[in-house]
Amino acid sequence: MSSTHSAGASPEPARFRELLPVPGRTDVDLAEAYAYPPSPDRPWVRANMVASADGGAIGPSGRSRDLSSAPDRRVMGVLRGLCDVVVVGAATARKEGYRPVRPREVWSDLRAGRPATPRIAVVSRSLDVDEELLTTAPEDARTIVFTVADAPAERRAFVAEHADLVVVDGVSVGPEHIVNALSEKGLYRVLTEGGPHLLAEFVGAGLLDELCLTVSPHLLGAGSPRIVTGGPGTPGAPEHSSAMSTPVRMAHLLEAEGNLFTRYLRE
Ligand SMILES: NC(=O)c1ccc[n+]([C@@H]2O[C@H](COP(=O)([O-])OP(=O)(O)OC[C@H]3O[C@@H](n4cnc5c(N)ncnc54)[C@H](OP(=O)(O)O)[C@@H]3O)[C@@H](O)[C@H]2O)c1
């Protein structure tokens, strides 16, 4: 499986300790801890991101792998197993080498009655999307590509041949277009893996229900963007202030190998 937080297997399964809401529990069932709301009747949008202790989202490699760890990959695997679709910005798909998700045996219970793997949905104006991501997905988990009407015509034809292409009028694919189209396809358990530009659009539109954030024990210093970037609140904007503040509550806080795993739900 391609991975935002990078791939790799841990020799020993990581042990997760619950700090909140039940301090001290060590028998945390991750699938239970991260379960989507039962029988959702609308798409539920969860983001999974990793940040350094000082708030950076991209490490020296230009990717998030510098921040990842075996426990982070384990959570990421569970979140992918739970979801119907992984939504990702095209820059992340390119940078992190996204491919169709590979099935995992441990998902058989999590995915009972659903395709063996979640679909990948890429958002792109340029349609510069890796061909393998389009052509090698299984038929029941075809890749979805969201784009705009003036995307390059020849790329559009290729994408439409091999994947489910959703074309939106206007200059931008709004998060509401994504959520509506996924809803029409019956894909209600949504996981977005960023990147920071796409995530900022979901947050700005008020369409992020949940943020799963790994705080990784690293300092990245200045220069690394936050997990949301672009638009108001970034340097260059008046007084660097944010245009919004949405309250969230912490659903749980777990710890493993010095990483903190937070799960925030929108109030
Ligand atoms: N720390 C973490 O958890 C984490 C998670 C994910 C990614 N990352 C890192 O973040 C970096 C990439 O993130 P990013 O913020 O630069 O980019 P991104 O959000 O992944 O992707 C931006 C691209 O998505 C497309 N896009 C976004 N919004 C769109 C819209 N409204 N309409 C149409 N297309 C739209 C455009 O694609 P086109 O250019 O194709 O037109 C745009 O260039 C990488 O370095 C990656 O490693 C970190």
Side-chain angles (χ1 to χ4, degrees), residues 11 23 26 30 57 61 68 88 145 153-154 172 178 193 217 237 241 248 252 265:
T26 52
L30 291 177
S61 71
S68 195
V88 71
V145 179
E154 70 288 358
S172 189
I178 298 173
E193 294 180 346
S241 63
V248 290
H252 73 220
L265 305 182

Side-chain angles (χ1 to χ4, degrees), residues 134-175:
L134 305 172
T135 58
T136 63
E139 201 44 45
D140 65 355
R142 277 165 70 89
T143 298
I144 304 169
V145 179
F146 289 94
T147 196
V148 290
D150 65 356
E154 70 288 358
R155 288 298 303 163
R156 245 177 94 159
F158 182 84
V159 173
E161 189 182 340
H162 297 285
D164 289 359
L165 180 65
V166 179
V167 181
V168 166
D169 285 335
V171 294
S172 189
V173 179

Side-chain angles (χ1 to χ4, degrees), residues 50-60 64-70 72 214-221 224 257-260:
V50 60
S52 62
D54 59 350
I58 302 177
S64 52
R65 68 172 57 224
D66 311 279
L67 299 173
S68 195
S69 59
D72 181 53
T214 301
V215 180
S216 162
H218 291 88
L219 299 174
L220 291 180
S224 179
E257 296 179 7
N259 299 273
L260 294 175

Side-chain angles (χ1 to χ4, degrees), residues 28 45 56 70 85 93 101 125 137 151 176 184 196 206 220 226 238 246 257 261 263:
V28 179
V45 184
V85 59
V101 176
R125 288 186 194 87
E176 66 284 2
E184 281 168 17
L220 291 180
R226 298 166 52 213
T246 303
E257 296 179 7
F261 297 88
R263 183 181 179 210

Side-chain angles (χ1 to χ4, degrees), residues 50 57 62 92 94 96 124-126 172-173 193 195 197-198 201:
V50 60
T92 294
R94 290 191 288 264
E96 305 275 354
S124 174
R125 288 186 194 87
S126 69
S172 189
V173 179
E193 294 180 346
H197 281 90
L198 185 68
E201 297 185 50

Side-chain angles (χ1 to χ4, degrees), residues 5-62:
H5 305 184
S6 102
S10 165
E12 284 287 319
R15 287 179 66 82
F16 286 80
R17 190 161 56 107
E18 185 166 315
L19 304 178
L20 289 172
V22 185
R25 259 185 61 186
T26 52
D27 57 344
V28 179
D29 178 337
L30 291 177
E32 203 178 284
Y34 286 98
Y36 280 87
S39 317
D41 56 2
R42 66 164 181 92
W44 178 272
V45 184
R46 156 186 289 168
N48 183 34
M49 302 293 283
V50 60
S52 62
D54 59 350
I58 302 177
S61 71

